Amino acid sequence: MTRTPLISLTEVSLGYNGQPLLREISFSVLVGEFLAILGPNGAGKTTLVRALLGQLRPLGGRLERAAVQGERLRTGYVAQSASLDPIFPFSVADIVLQGRLGRRHGLQRLSATDRDEAARCLDEVGLSHLATMPFRDLSGGQKQRLLIARALATQPHLLLLDEPTRGLDLASRHAILDLIATLHRRRGLTIVLITHVLAEATRLAERVALVHHGRVTSGATAELLQPDRLGRLYDMDVELLEES
Amino acid sequence: MESLWNLPFFQDALTAGVLLAIPCAILSVYVVLNRLVFLTATLGQCAVAGFGLGFLIGWQPSLVSLLLVLAVVPAFLRGGSGGTAPMDSVLGMLFVTAWASSILFIAGSAVGREEVVNAIEGNVLTISAGQRWLLAALAVGVLLLHRFASHDFLFVAFDPEMAASLGYHVLLWRLFLYGALGMSIGMTTRIGSIQLVFALLVFPAMVALRLSHDLRRIFMLAVGAAVAMSLLGVVLSFTLDVPTASTIVVLLGLLFCASLVVRRCRARL
């Protein structure tokens, strides 16, 4: 079955101040797929994320974001929780409600429907019992779950997660990955996972996009994640081990 | 004491204290959460330099002061991430340059000397009817901005990338907030003094953040603290015959210390 692209990049060059960091990259994010964007630190993953979010205009090439049922493509973005300043006195409920701010007309107040939807998303990630708790008091794993709930509250067509397991312990990492897999399975949500952890990509993604030396290569996970390709990507010998 | 309350200029000073406290206290929460304290101090110094420049060149000092502050604001919209110069270093250089400039402007203009000294030392006691109306308009403007856009301002500051992905124009929102801050500083410094305005843009939020985790309560506590200390400061300064702005600032400092004690006691319970 052919899937429709939600976002397609054709020979796109991305960078800052006219200097390309990624050159002539071509790949698509397809409806309902689980795509992992993989690459070493500093390879340009964040630049690619900014372009996928529509925050960075290509220096060249064509980047198209499809409309879904007549609506502008909505992307639920999940930032790394460590990047958020704990000085803000937000409660868990305040944060998840932020996902509804973009759904209002102008400066309208949030409605009862917004609050219900936010509560439902909080419940879906298993945090409804912590609704009144301050954000700063949550554990790393709980913060990441909350940010996923906030992204879900935007009612996204595409969920884009930027290294959601970074800095988490093993148990929290597994819990977050399980949650993402469940959302993909139950909701049929299109997911783009940015990571530099190979095991996460092989475990969850149908396709991967490898970012390396200013280029992006995409394809089926099993096909691309081979020792020789990965060795070239990371400039070292790579051996793949079976996960127990 | 009873006769003091009947004095029109004492009543005017109380009104001025309240009208100054309300907008500054609301903005203080945004200043502290956005980590804009040093920017606030620098804008205050620019406002004083603007008065001096106004007197020196013979233009309306308040207008020159406001224009100078608003001209400086856009330079800091991108924060420190965009360039190679750290934001605090740029602010430090601007702060000291504005400070030195205000001294030179005062030295060059005999007419402006007293006015600029007033702006530094503060004099809410000599507020005119026009200035009262100006403060009232500012308070209404800040209240409206807060009522309709507080969630947006805080969201954009907390997570600009997520906000941008939802269609927010992050730089434009920052421009609104910094512009409101710059305008408030430009309009209030001549009335309240740089010292008092800066204190009112920092202490109320710091006190409120020690006492509550709830955003709505934090704003209310900040306004309550600022209004109470302003009123008490005016009364004490009249009674003890000491400078009003400095009295209010010291009271705000003492209130902050008290909030630390309350927080520590609560944690032990």
Side-chain angles (χ1 to χ4, degrees), chain B residues 48-172:
Chain B
V48 175
F51 296 136
L53 181 63
F55 280 112
L56 188 70
I57 61 176
W59 288 19
Q60 169 57 250
S62 297
L63 184 65
V64 177
S65 170
L66 184 60
L67 290 177
L68 188 65
V69 169
L70 291 178
V72 167
V73 161
F76 298 98
L77 290 181
R78 287 184 189 276
S81 57
T84 50
M87 189 181 178
D88 61 341
S89 303
V90 177
L91 283 170
M93 291 188 292
L94 184 58
F95 177 86
V96 77
T97 308
W99 185 6
S101 304
S102 60
I103 292 170
L104 291 178
F105 294 149
I106 296 166
S109 162
V111 185
R113 188 171 303 217
E114 197 180 328
E115 283 276 355
V116 179
V117 168
N118 269 348
I120 296 166
E121 290 180 352
N123 206 348
V124 287
L125 308 182
T126 56
I127 186 170
S128 67
Q131 286 175 323
R132 265 203 312 280
W133 281 110
L134 195 70
L135 279 184
L138 178 70
V140 171
V142 170
L143 279 167
L144 285 174
L145 206 62
H146 171 67
R147 167 74 173 77
F148 289 106
S150 63
H151 291 297
D152 306 277
F153 281 130
L154 292 170
F155 178 39
V156 168
F158 178 64
D159 193 349
E161 291 205 323
M162 169 76 172
S165 78
L166 294 186
Y168 280 84
H169 196 303
V170 173
L171 287 185
L172 205 59

Side-chain angles (χ1 to χ4, degrees), chain A residues 50 53 55 75 77 79 84-85 87-90 94-95 98-99 101-102 104 107 109 134-136 150-151 154, chain B residues 32-35 147-149 151-152 154-155 157-159 161-162 164-168 173 209 213 215 218:
Chain A
R50 295 194 62 205
L53 287 171
Q55 294 171 10
T75 308
Y77 174 61
L84 302 174
D85 193 340
I87 194 178
F88 284 83
F90 288 129
D94 289 332
I95 300 249
Q98 289 172 350
L101 291 174
R104 300 166 308 161
L107 296 177
R109 307 288 281 182
F135 173 71
R136 66 170 78 108
R150 184 179 68 170
T154 65
Chain B
V32 170
L33 294 182
N34 282 275
R35 299 184 187 272
R147 167 74 173 77
F148 289 106
H151 291 297
D152 306 277
L154 292 170
F155 178 39
F158 178 64
D159 193 349
E161 291 205 323
M162 169 76 172
S165 78
L166 294 186
Y168 280 84
W173 278 96
L209 284 163
H213 293 300
L215 258 177
I218 285 168

